[in-house]
Amino acid sequence: RQVYVGAFSSVSTGVAVMYMQSPPVNSLSLDFLTEFCINLEKLEMDKSCRGLIVTSSQPKVFSAGLDIMEMYGKSPEHCGEFWRAVQEMWLKMYSSNMATIAAINGSSPAGGCLMSMTCDYRIMADNPRYSIGLNETQLGIVAPFWFKDTIINTVGHRTAEMALELGLLFSPSEALKIGLVDQVVPEDQVLTTATQAMTKWLAVPDHARQITKSLMRKPTLDKLTSSREADIQNFVSFITKDSIQKSLRVYLEMLKKRKG
Ligand code: CO8
C-alpha cells in the first residue's frame, strides 16, 4: 500500500491550494507532516502568497487524523519525533500569516479536525456520511491541552467540554450548528466556495488581519511554545503505556473489522 505521496500546492492570484494526497485516508504520518510543513514554510515565505486553502485530493476523506501506526508498537524515540512534527504542524498553521481556509471535502476526525480548526474559516461538504470532531476518548486516548484549547477557541467552553469527553463526531449540519464549521455546501461546491470566501478575507489589509489574528491566538500558541519538551515527554510516556497500546490495538482491529 502506498503510504505517502505528499501535499502539493499551486499559487495563483495570491492564493495557494494545498491538496493533501496521502492514500488511502490522508493520515498524518511523520513523513506527511514533514512534507506538509516544508510546503507551508515555502508558501509563508512567498510574498506573493496571501491566502491558503487546504483540501484533500482523496475521495470521501479530508484527513483521518494522526497516523495510528506512528503511535503503535513504536520506540519512545520515534513517538517523540512524531509528536514534535504534530506540534510543528499545529504551531505553523495556527500562527500562519496567510488567511487560511479548510475546504473539508470528506471526513475529518481527530487530527483532521485539529488541522481544520487551525484555519481561519471552515467549509464542509454537506454529505451526511462525513463527520468531524475530536473523537480521541473513543480510542481510549486523551486529546492534549492544545487540542482542547483549539476547540474551546472554536466552539466555546461548554460545547467543547461535552464534545471532548464524549469524543463526539458531528455530521456537517451538526458541526454547522455548534460552529465547528462555518459553512456547509454541496460537495461539488466546496472548493469554489472556499475561493469565494477567500476574497472576503483578502479584502482586509494584511497587516491589520495578521495582527488581529495574533492577538486572538498568541496566548494559546505561547502555552505550547513554552512547554514543548514537557508536552513531548507527556505524550511519549502516555502513548507507550501497555494499557494505551492495547486500546490502540483494539481500535485498529475495529477499523479493519468495520471494513470487512
Ligand atoms: N491511522 C492509520 N491508518 C488509518 C487511519 C489512521 N488514523 N484511519 C484509517 N486508517 C486505515 C484503515 O485501517 C484502513 O487500512 P487497511 O486498508 O489496511 O484495512 C485504511 O486506512 C482505510 O480506512 P477505512 O476503510 O476505514 O476508510 P473509510 O473511507 O471507510 O473511512 C475514515 C475513512 C472515516 C477516516 C475512517 O478510516 C476512520 O474513521 N479512521 C479513524 C480515524 C480516527 O479515529 N483517527 C484518530 C487518530 S488519533 C488522532 O488524530 C489524535 C491523537 C491525539 C493523541 C493524544 C495522545 C496523548
Side-chain angles (χ1 to χ4, degrees), residues 1 64 66-68 110-111 135-136 142 238 251 256 258-259:
R1 148 179 162 203
L66 304 192
D67 192 324
I68 298 167
N135 59 321
E136 279 77 358
V142 179
F238 180 80
Y251 189 74
K256 304 247 177 257
R258 202 193 49 159
K259 191 179 180 182

Side-chain angles (χ1 to χ4, degrees), residues 167-238:
L168 295 179
L169 286 170
F170 299 92
S171 68
S173 61
E174 291 167 339
L176 181 65
K177 212 188 294 172
I178 63 165
L180 185 55
V181 299
D182 301 297
Q183 235 182 306
V184 169
V185 300
E187 195 146 6
D188 59 353
Q189 289 168 31
V190 175
L191 201 53
T192 48
T193 309
T195 310
Q196 286 159 9
M198 185 59 87
T199 314
K200 197 161 81 182
W201 286 82
L202 295 186
V204 177
D206 284 343
H207 69 282
R209 184 187 47 74
Q210 288 160 355
I211 293 168
T212 305
K213 182 169 175 174
S214 169
L215 267 174
M216 297 299 293
R217 296 187 173 194
K218 194 168 181 300
T220 307
L221 286 157
D222 284 350
K223 266 170 77 180
L224 180 62
T225 309
S226 63
S227 62
R228 251 185 114 163
E229 298 308 318
D231 183 62
I232 293 173
Q233 286 314 313
N234 271 343
F235 171 76
V236 172
S237 61
F238 180 80

